[in-house]
Amino acid sequence: MTMTTTTTTSATPVAPSHGRLRPLGLADVRITGGFWAQRQAVNGSASLAHIEHWMEREGWIPNFDTAAAGTLSDLDRGGREFSDSEVYKLLEAMAWEIGRTDDDALDARFRALVRRVAAAQGADGYLNTNFGRPGQRPRYSDLEWGHELYCFGHLFQAAVARARTRPDADDGLLAIARRAADHVVEAFGPDGIASVCGHAEIEPALAELGRLTGERRYLDQAALFVERRGTGTLADIELGRAYYQDDVPVREATVLRGHAVRANYLAAGAVDVAVETDDTDLLDALTTQWENTVARRTYVTGGQGSQHEGEAFGHDFVLPADRAYSETCAGIGSVMFSWRLLLAQGLPRYADLVERTLFNVVATSPSHEGTAFYYTNTLHQRVPGTVPPTDVASPRASSSLRAPWFAVSCCPPNVARTLASLAAYVATTDDDGLQLHQYAPTRIRTTLSDGRRVELDVETAYPTDGVVRVSVATTEDRPWTLTLRVPSWADGAELRTPEGVQPATPGTVSVHRRFTAGDVVELRLPMQPRVSSPDPRIDAVRGCVVVERGPEVLALESVDLGGTDVSVVRLDLDAGLREVDGQVLATLVTDAPADDLWPYGSPPAHPDQPRTEAPLIAYHDWANRGPSTMRVWLPLA
């Protein structure tokens, strides 16, 4: 494997010291329009203020004020035990957004929030509003459920985002994080508490803080946490130690299991450790885990986690559509895991899963207005949803419509930080050129390791259209290589270059030449709707198919059926699919099941029934038009 070394750190969430590819950050890549720019704009103009408002209202930010004043106890503390982490995720989202937009007003709000957090930090670096004060439990007395180290992890990631986007900000956040990290190393180092946090997250955060600061002991502590995991240091619980991945050592596991967010965060951190320590055995184990999880435990949307109990992965091929949990945060964790493997190994399959998850999990969570969110992402809504109140936090994660806020609101700020930093997942470089992994209108300006200048402008209406037009904006005397990902679904793609037209098979396609300003490379991806069938071992959707178009999974919503329940319709595949004015139209048969006292009996006869056409919409757009039923997997007529 060819390795590249990162000599400078750009404004990116992940910056390995070496690997197959180097990430480009917000200073190098700007999303200038289209699908993702619109979502970034809504995130910046609506979601961040909405999230901040609810955190103030629910007492999650004021917790730091009362902690600093010495008057905080369990009786008057707002939020769950991990609410501090949500404030840190908000800070991280703000940091990326400031780096993206240079918003001075947002920067002032950011600094004010940092001051409130700083005031609550102890002299020894400890920082948590839920433990250690009169009327509260002692520090680290509940590692299974207390989330103290988890909260530290999100604090560290916020500090990394700020330091990489505004290295001269001098607002104190990085100093806060370093004092906290020093405390963690002292408390949990080789001679300290020989345990881990019930919710993995500090592992990738410590590794990244170590990369940023050059402090090797932060990486060593992350490695120590990874090695301790799976050795039974946490108490056994009703859900089993697999719930927090403490059942099997990381390097012995063959698939992700247990709580889906915890599992992905742990895997992401373990990749960081493997890369920085050149531990090929650990990286091989994580690759196997990724492969088996994608092949057996991942929904067609890219969502992960099929069990409501424990928010967990199910057994292999247990992927029920109507009981899909598919937590938004698990999707973000999956993106984190896949992106790190892509940087380490350079294989396009990782970017394929990132794309699928971004379009069909991350983009599904927020409403079009950016002020309501899905925590879970079902693939079959059997009953019309209930409009949640706008002034009360929803007590249930699996609410039937997007809710403004949840009692556990990990997903809204997680979505916000992901969208704000999204440009950092678009492109990479190596010693010979630049690679495009995600497609959106973008402006890319960067320099290769040997000084060759690469300037590109990408024009595309993707995913509405499959034409990706890359224009070179500068002339370079020496040749370099432009590589574009051809998605795994894109059979029949073609590449157009100044030399002519050639087939582009799924994987990657490269152009190596001496580029001059004005040169154009055009990738054309086939965007006709396609029908996908499930593995026969996925019993829950046997006899069904899903319709996809480009990277988007499509869904049938009752709003487009005149209110007819989607559970009583079947797809007439023989009639084919039509595209009219950008809409995919499907021919459907509507059954009229009898309401008998006993719902079992002889198979019903299906004489010729009238066919009707109805549109299939992008799954990420569902439930934006009021209560409805919906399904992704369609039974065949």
Side-chain angles (χ1 to χ4, degrees):
M1 177 188 298
T2 302
M3 305 295 282
T4 62
T5 300
T6 300
T7 55
T8 59
T9 301
S10 60
T12 176
V14 187
S17 63
H18 59 278
R20 177 64 185 82
L21 304 175
R22 287 188 287 268
L24 294 181
L26 273 59
D28 309 295
V29 182
R30 180 171 295 275
I31 299 174
T32 57
F35 184 97
W36 290 116
Q38 191 274 334
R39 280 153 181 79
Q40 285 190 316
V42 170
N43 185 58
S45 64
S47 297
L48 292 180
H50 174 86
I51 291 166
E52 187 177 8
H53 162 77
W54 275 95
M55 288 186 181
E56 290 281 9
R57 172 194 170 113
E58 296 294 298
W60 300 3
I61 295 175
N63 285 338
F64 291 93
D65 303 331
T66 50
T71 59
L72 182 63
S73 71
D74 283 348
L75 296 177
D76 56 7
R77 184 182 178 277
R80 292 285 299 273
E81 60 274 15
F82 39 75
S83 64
D84 290 2
S85 71
E86 316 307 351
V87 178
Y88 302 147
K89 277 187 274 186
L90 173 61
L91 280 171
E92 183 185 351
M94 287 177 161
W96 293 123
E97 185 65 13
I98 293 163
R100 192 180 75 85
T101 63
D102 294 321
D103 187 326
D104 290 337
L106 184 60
D107 190 79
R109 285 160 47 200
F110 179 94
R111 291 173 180 274
L113 185 50
V114 169
R115 287 193 293 271
R116 294 167 75 179
V117 169
Q121 187 169 33
D124 65 350
Y126 181 82
L127 178 57
N128 192 283
T129 68
N130 194 50
F131 290 89
R133 295 174 182 80
Q136 294 183 326
R137 291 171 292 172
R139 298 178 181 182
Y140 308 123
S141 58
D142 186 6
L143 287 172
E144 288 76 19
W145 301 104
H147 289 74
E148 288 160 279
L149 297 178
Y150 170 83
C151 291
F152 278 134
H154 281 296
L155 171 64
F156 301 161
Q157 288 177 322
V160 167
R162 182 60 164 176
R164 287 187 176 154
T165 54
R166 290 293 180 272
D168 300 323
D170 193 29
D171 52 37
L173 183 58
L174 181 58
I176 295 168
R178 294 192 67 161
R179 286 195 296 272
D182 291 343
H183 162 79
V184 169
V185 170
E186 181 178 354
F188 287 86
D191 300 323
I193 302 169
S195 191
V196 296
C197 184
H199 197 311
E201 214 289 325
I202 196 171
E203 295 85 353
L206 274 171
E208 209 58 49
L209 188 63
R211 289 164 170 164
L212 173 74
T213 63
E215 287 285 358
R216 176 72 189 198
R217 56 205 177 105
Y218 298 161
L219 174 66
D220 290 343
Q221 186 62 48
L224 186 56
F225 281 140
V226 169
E227 292 303 326
R228 283 176 181 164
R229 183 77 58 168
T231 60
T233 66
L234 298 172
D236 202 1
I237 56 174
E238 184 178 358
L239 296 170
R241 284 197 176 97
Y243 171 76
Y244 31 51
Q245 297 77 47
D246 198 34
D247 57 329
V248 179
V250 174
R251 60 182 70 244
E252 295 178 17
T254 58
V255 69
L256 298 189
R257 68 230 176 272
H259 190 277
V261 183
R262 288 166 163 85
N264 274 292
Y265 284 176
L266 175 62
V271 173
D272 289 332
V273 168
V275 167
E276 296 304 326
T277 60
D278 295 315
D279 190 334
T280 56
D281 289 341
L282 178 57
L283 189 61
D284 287 346
L286 292 160
T287 301
T288 297
Q289 292 170 34
W290 186 93
E291 291 171 345
N292 288 337
T293 301
V294 172
R296 305 173 188 174
R297 299 185 176 187
T298 300
Y299 283 99
V300 68
T301 56
Q304 295 181 345
S306 60
Q307 293 185 345
H308 284 236
E309 183 181 54
E311 302 180 315
F313 286 99
H315 294 297
D316 290 352
F317 305 108
V318 178
L319 295 165
D322 56 351
R323 291 293 294 165
Y325 200 74
S326 185
E327 184 180 340
T328 300
C329 287
I332 291 169
S334 172
V335 168
M336 292 169 58
F337 183 21
S338 296
W339 180 246
R340 284 161 169 81
L341 287 174
L342 174 65
L343 296 178
Q345 300 173 354
L347 301 178
R349 63 185 186 177
Y350 301 123
D352 281 346
L353 184 62
V354 168
E355 177 182 69
R356 180 174 293 273
T357 308
L358 286 174
F359 275 106
N360 300 295
V361 179
V362 177
T364 305
S365 176
S367 66
H368 288 168
E369 298 77 21
T371 55
F373 302 85
Y374 271 132
Y375 185 113
T376 65
N377 296 279
T378 185
L379 277 67
H380 186 175
Q381 180 72 30
R382 288 185 172 273
V383 297
T386 302
V387 178
T390 59
D391 58 348
V392 178
S394 173
R396 292 175 297 280
S398 55
S399 56
S400 56
L401 283 176
R402 293 176 182 88
W405 202 246
F406 302 93
V408 176
S409 276
C410 50
C411 296
N414 219 356
V415 169
R417 69 175 181 141
T418 303
L419 290 177
S421 62
L422 196 60
Y425 296 90
V426 169
T428 58
T429 62
D430 60 15
D431 290 341
D432 190 47
L434 182 141
Q435 305 79 38
L436 280 175
H437 304 287
Q438 305 300 329
Y439 297 125
T442 49
R443 180 181 186 273
I444 301 175
R445 303 288 187 269
T446 193
T447 302
L448 302 184
S449 58
D450 63 357
R452 283 174 291 178
R453 185 67 180 166
V454 175
E455 297 185 1
L456 304 175
D457 293 298
V458 181
E459 301 173 47
T460 182
Y462 192 79
T464 301
D465 185 87
V467 178
V468 180
R469 192 172 190 269
V470 182
S471 301
V472 178
T474 187
T475 298
E476 176 58 56
D477 290 338
R478 294 164 292 173
W480 56 274
T481 302
L482 172 64
T483 301
L484 297 96
R485 178 178 62 91
V486 182
S488 59
W489 46 262
D491 291 319
E494 66 177 28
L495 183 73
R496 300 186 177 192
T497 71
E499 283 74 33
V501 180
Q502 66 183 72
T505 57
T508 61
V509 62
S510 297
V511 180
H512 180 77
R513 71 192 311 267
R514 179 183 174 275
F515 287 98
T516 60
D519 282 351
V520 173
V521 173
E522 190 173 274
L523 179 65
R524 290 179 170 258
L525 301 173
M527 300 298 286
Q528 64 269 23
R530 63 190 187 277
V531 175
S532 300
S533 300
D535 185 294
R537 291 168 288 186
I538 307 176
D539 284 330
V541 291
R542 189 187 295 270
C544 297
V545 297
V546 66
V547 179
E548 302 177 77
R549 184 182 182 278
E552 296 174 317
V553 172
L554 304 186
L556 179 65
E557 194 172 11
S558 61
V559 174
D560 296 311
L561 296 174
T564 298
D565 182 4
V566 297
S567 296
V568 298
V569 300
R570 291 175 291 130
L571 174 65
D572 182 357
L573 199 54
D574 292 336
L577 300 164
R578 295 197 304 138
E579 278 195 85
V580 178
D581 296 329
Q583 276 196 325
V584 176
L585 300 177
T587 300
L588 305 170
V589 175
T590 302
D591 295 323
D595 289 327
D596 295 331
L597 291 176
W598 183 243
Y600 307 99
S602 301
H606 290 297
D608 289 338
Q609 295 170 280
R611 266 64 172 162
T612 58
E613 271 193 330
L616 303 178
I617 65 168
Y619 170 70
H620 57 68
D621 284 336
W622 91 277
N624 275 287
R625 298 175 291 175
S628 64
T629 59
M630 177 278 301
R631 70 184 306 158
V632 164
W633 288 102
L634 303 173
L636 293 175

